[in-house]
Amino acid sequence: MGYQRYIAFDVETPNHANDRMSAIGVAVVEDGGVAETYDLLVDPQVPFDPFNVALTGITPALVAGKPTFPEVWEVLRPVFESGLLVAHNAQFDMSVLAKCLRAYGLFWRERVDYACTCQMSRRLLPQLPNHRLDTLCRSLGLSLDHHRAGSDSEACGRILLHHLAAGASVTPFLRTYDLMGARTVRAGR
């Protein structure tokens, strides 16, 4: 299966419930590079936990007046429909996406295929001490402003590009996510 376009994305959350976003970053990967990026703050319309504020630097004041998830989704939905979704530790980002859609009563689709650059890196770069995003970026010489959705999504896209340039195929790493049940259900088609 040959994908031509990949939608690398990363979300930041305001609290431990992980059912809302305070930020989302997207890096569209095609033709051997990052073709476009999005770095959006989102008003989650829920309280923030101090831990999440300390981790991400995103405060309630920072997102006051920013678009809500349904407004952001209007812009991002066509982008998400245009390629294979990719994330680093994708189970987390996929679950937040699914829970956000559910929290706002938005139906996108029942299932969607995705790939995880953390899983890819574990298999393709086994010599590394771990496969966290910051470790991979240091190893590959990529810039990263960690826990900033725009930077994290672009780093994810560039890690994917590294693997593709090295001759790896995404196919063995395809998974299918059940957006209604918020869980991975089977290997991708």
Side-chain angles (χ1 to χ4, degrees):
M1 172 175 302
Y3 284 93
Q4 302 300 312
R5 187 169 160 102
Y6 303 90
I7 313 305
F9 78 105
D10 179 80
V11 302
E12 302 299 336
T13 60
N15 59 46
H16 66 282
N18 294 329
D19 61 355
R20 300 292 177 97
M21 298 176 191
S22 53
I24 184 168
V26 178
V28 177
V29 174
E30 64 182 343
D31 299 325
V34 174
E36 57 187 294
T37 60
Y38 300 82
D39 188 2
L40 305 168
L41 289 172
V42 182
D43 181 352
Q45 301 179 298
V46 294
F48 281 70
D49 286 347
F51 172 84
N52 296 66
V53 171
L55 181 69
T56 67
I58 301 171
T59 63
L62 201 56
V63 298
K66 297 296 181 190
T68 61
F69 178 75
E71 295 167 312
V72 167
W73 186 240
E74 277 186 47
V75 173
L76 292 183
R77 180 179 177 162
V79 177
F80 273 55
E81 291 174 345
S82 71
L84 177 70
L85 301 187
V86 180
H88 198 78
N89 288 318
Q91 285 280 5
F92 174 78
D93 299 277
M94 294 300 296
S95 76
V96 174
L97 175 62
K99 291 174 185 176
C100 259
L101 289 165
R102 186 179 333 150
Y104 283 101
L106 300 171
F107 177 78
W108 178 31
R109 48 178 65 162
E110 286 185 26
R111 294 179 174 187
V112 63
D113 288 344
Y114 74 95
C116 177
T117 52
C118 185
Q119 292 297 323
M120 291 180 79
S121 299
R122 282 186 181 128
R123 184 153 337 140
L124 301 171
L125 298 170
Q127 71 279 14
L128 295 181
N130 63 61
H131 297 87
R132 295 189 317 247
L133 190 62
D134 55 341
T135 301
L136 282 160
C137 287
R138 273 194 304 278
S139 174
L140 299 175
L142 303 174
S143 64
L144 177 69
D145 186 4
H146 205 16
H147 298 296
R148 301 298 181 265
S151 181
D152 287 2
S153 64
E154 188 166 346
C156 174
R158 294 197 182 283
I159 290 166
L160 175 67
L161 283 166
H162 169 83
H163 293 323
L164 294 174
S169 169
V170 173
T171 304
F173 302 99
L174 287 178
R175 302 292 179 264
T176 299
Y177 202 84
D178 175 356
L179 290 167
M180 309 306 286
R183 69 188 197 286
T184 297
V185 290
R186 60 182 171 82
R189 293 184 285 282

